[in-house]
Amino acid sequence: GITALSQGNWTVNALIGSIPPHYESRDEIGQMAQDIRTMITDIHTTVQGYERARLNLQRLYDDLEQKNQTLERLSTTDPLTGLPNHRTIMSRVEEELSRCRRMQSRCAILFTDIDHFKQINDTFGHQAGDAILREVGQRLKNGLRLEDFVGRYGGEEFAIVLTNTDLSD
């Protein structure tokens, strides 16, 4: 394109994103063509640098977003059982108690633990104990209504919130 322009062909189209070939000439049009080539080369290099930086920034942003989601999940979920953790349980208990006061309704909050759990860990090992905690957590969760809530309170203890439930229920 630059060569054609330097020879007087003003109808030529230059490809966007490509660098014109090196053109050597000592006349004024040739020098202008070489200066334009240098500018296009500089612009092309700058645009490539910006694009690399944009892609790198997007990759970093995606990675940060994924890590934030993981952090959010870890801050509310017990990693062993996949159930809500102590902090989340306490928040849900407060919410449910507040709802009960507002709505003049009742709820039940149950705390349960696995008896002699230390003996299980000591006899069969921590992997077996972890498997039992996961199984108990899933059985508790599967036994609840959709509106109820169970979480790992700590150690071998679980907390269950039963909404719209009174003592006789």
Side-chain angles (χ1 to χ4, degrees):
I2 298 294
T3 302
L5 287 173
S6 70
Q7 295 171 351
N9 181 358
W10 297 99
T11 63
V12 71
N13 290 323
L15 296 175
I16 296 176
S18 65
I19 299 174
H22 185 69
Y23 181 78
E24 299 242 0
S25 173
R26 297 207 186 278
D27 64 10
E28 191 175 307
I29 292 177
Q31 290 299 313
M32 186 183 303
Q34 187 56 39
D35 291 343
I36 290 172
R37 180 190 187 281
T38 301
M39 286 188 291
I40 291 172
T41 301
D42 291 346
I43 290 169
H44 185 70
T45 302
T46 301
V47 167
Q48 284 180 329
Y50 284 143
E51 183 61 15
R52 279 192 306 272
R54 186 191 68 76
L55 290 172
N56 190 41
L57 188 58
Q58 183 63 49
R59 183 187 56 75
L60 290 171
Y61 177 78
D62 292 345
D63 187 47
L64 180 62
E65 183 66 26
Q66 183 181 27
K67 287 179 179 177
N68 281 337
Q69 288 172 359
T70 300
L71 187 58
E72 174 69 26
R73 188 177 65 253
L74 290 173
S75 72
T76 60
T77 305
D78 173 58
L80 180 64
T81 63
L83 295 174
N85 64 12
H86 181 89
R87 180 173 133 195
T88 305
I89 292 167
M90 297 311 294
S91 177
R92 286 290 300 266
V93 165
E94 288 297 322
E95 289 171 12
E96 185 60 23
L97 291 175
S98 176
R99 188 191 69 75
C100 286
R101 281 190 287 271
R102 265 192 336 274
M103 306 298 288
Q104 297 295 308
S105 63
R106 297 177 186 257
C107 69
I109 302 171
L110 311 172
F111 291 89
T112 183
D113 71 279
I114 302 170
D115 287 339
H116 311 291
F117 188 72
K118 182 179 180 331
Q119 187 177 4
I120 293 170
N121 276 336
D122 290 346
T123 304
F124 301 104
H126 288 279
Q127 283 184 329
D130 290 351
I132 289 171
L133 287 172
R134 282 190 290 274
E135 183 65 24
V136 168
Q138 283 308 303
R139 287 185 184 209
L140 289 171
K141 182 179 177 182
N142 292 340
L144 296 178
R145 302 171 298 177
L146 288 176
E147 63 269 21
D148 297 333
F149 178 82
V150 62
R152 186 171 177 203
Y153 191 72
E156 78 281 1
E157 300 168 329
F158 295 88
I160 304 165
V161 178
L162 303 174
T163 62
N164 297 316
T165 303
D166 61 19
L167 187 58
S168 64
D169 292 336

